[in-house]
Amino acid sequence: MKRAERQYALVDLLRAARLPLSAARLAAELQVSRRTIERDIGALQSAGVPIYADHGVRGGYSVLREYSLPPLNLTAAESIATLAGLALLETSPYQGAARRARAKIDAVMSDEHRGSVRQMLQTMHTIETASPSDETVPFGLLSDVIAVRRVVHLGYLGEHPDGSTDHGSRTERDVEALGLLRAGDAWLMIGWCRLRGAIRGFRVDRIVALSILDEVPPERDPALLEADLAQWPTRRLA
């Protein structure tokens, strides 16, 4: 998380809290050190953000409840599109971040739009034909894999001819993770599979074991991935 994003999140946490939050609690929530939190609070105070310290057993940091960093100022239609898009990430490796983002947008939405936006979202549905089982790895770990750029070791389940998961066909393989792909109703981790010596897509609901190795993968020719993706009508999200 970038410094500016972290400071926005820090103010959001303080505004939502009913009681003062300690530096240790804030550090745990944002997954940084206590010293980083103290530096961020100092920087925000210097910029005029009304954060103050409460001393005592239940002491910590608070912010004036009426204070807010500049909102996104989304229209009702923009709020619907954004919240619907984030809801579709519920079964993705970014489900945790998507839930937090939805909560932030909901918190700053104007009362004028809130009712109509929620009413419209209730008319939208999605059919998820594949859902993660207890044996698959946590979705959040997969987003970390893409970010750290390391070789990963997978325990992966194959599939029956009818497309269902074959629980008796587990393979072990080392993979150089390259990105994520949404295909139909499933998310896939794309990577260079060293077992097959080629680009492969691994359904995240069939990855039953995953460990991040210390090895940094070599640079692969981008044309290899582009050629593989060219088989389908894919598009980049940015």
Side-chain angles (χ1 to χ4, degrees):
M1 183 183 295
K2 296 180 180 179
R3 183 185 180 190
E5 294 173 343
R6 186 178 65 245
Q7 291 179 355
Y8 269 79
L10 193 158
V11 173
D12 283 341
L13 287 171
L14 292 176
R15 289 185 67 242
R18 296 183 178 180
L19 297 173
L21 297 179
S22 67
R25 171 71 180 277
L26 291 167
E29 290 283 348
L30 298 176
Q31 299 182 344
V32 295
S33 69
R34 177 172 176 169
R35 179 58 183 153
T36 296
I37 291 296
E38 291 171 346
R39 285 199 299 266
D40 283 346
I41 288 175
L44 288 165
Q45 289 172 329
S46 297
V49 179
I51 296 176
Y52 58 93
D54 289 307
H55 301 288
V57 177
R58 295 186 177 180
Y61 292 101
S62 302
V63 67
L64 294 179
R65 294 299 298 273
E66 62 269 23
Y67 180 80
S68 175
L69 292 173
L72 291 174
N73 292 322
L74 297 178
T75 65
E78 290 168 343
S79 296
I80 292 170
T82 304
L83 291 171
L86 290 169
L88 292 174
L89 294 178
E90 276 290 314
T91 52
S92 83
Y94 289 92
Q95 62 176 201
R99 289 171 184 170
R100 293 191 296 272
R102 289 178 67 189
K104 290 179 181 180
I105 293 173
D106 185 69
V108 300
M109 190 185 308
S110 69
D111 293 336
E112 176 187 359
H113 295 155
R114 192 180 304 278
S116 60
V117 167
R118 288 183 175 174
Q119 185 177 16
M120 182 60 69
L121 289 173
Q122 289 173 354
T123 69
M124 301 180 184
H125 304 81
T126 180
I127 298 175
E128 302 286 357
T129 59
S131 57
S133 66
D134 292 338
E135 58 184 339
T136 55
V137 301
F139 275 156
L141 183 58
L142 293 168
S143 60
D144 294 340
V145 165
I146 304 301
V148 298
R149 279 193 50 77
R150 292 290 188 274
V151 178
V152 294
H153 183 80
L154 300 183
Y156 188 69
L157 301 179
E159 66 178 45
H160 291 292
D162 63 2
S164 62
T165 301
D166 182 358
H167 293 268
S169 64
R170 172 169 168 160
T171 58
E172 304 289 328
R173 56 185 82 198
D174 289 343
V175 177
E176 301 167 16
L178 298 174
L180 294 168
L181 172 69
R182 175 74 177 184
D185 61 350
W187 281 92
L188 289 78
M189 185 183 77
I190 311 169
W192 178 266
C193 177
R194 293 183 173 178
L195 179 64
R196 305 302 183 197
I199 299 289
R200 288 290 186 270
F202 302 92
R203 286 181 59 128
V204 300
D205 56 329
R206 292 182 184 159
I207 299 175
V208 293
L210 185 150
S211 56
I212 302 175
L213 308 182
D214 291 332
E215 181 186 353
V216 177
E219 291 292 334
R220 296 285 176 184
D221 184 352
L224 294 171
L225 178 57
E226 295 297 332
D228 189 80
L229 293 176
Q231 301 175 66
W232 300 277
T234 58
R235 63 179 176 88
R236 294 185 185 277
L237 298 188

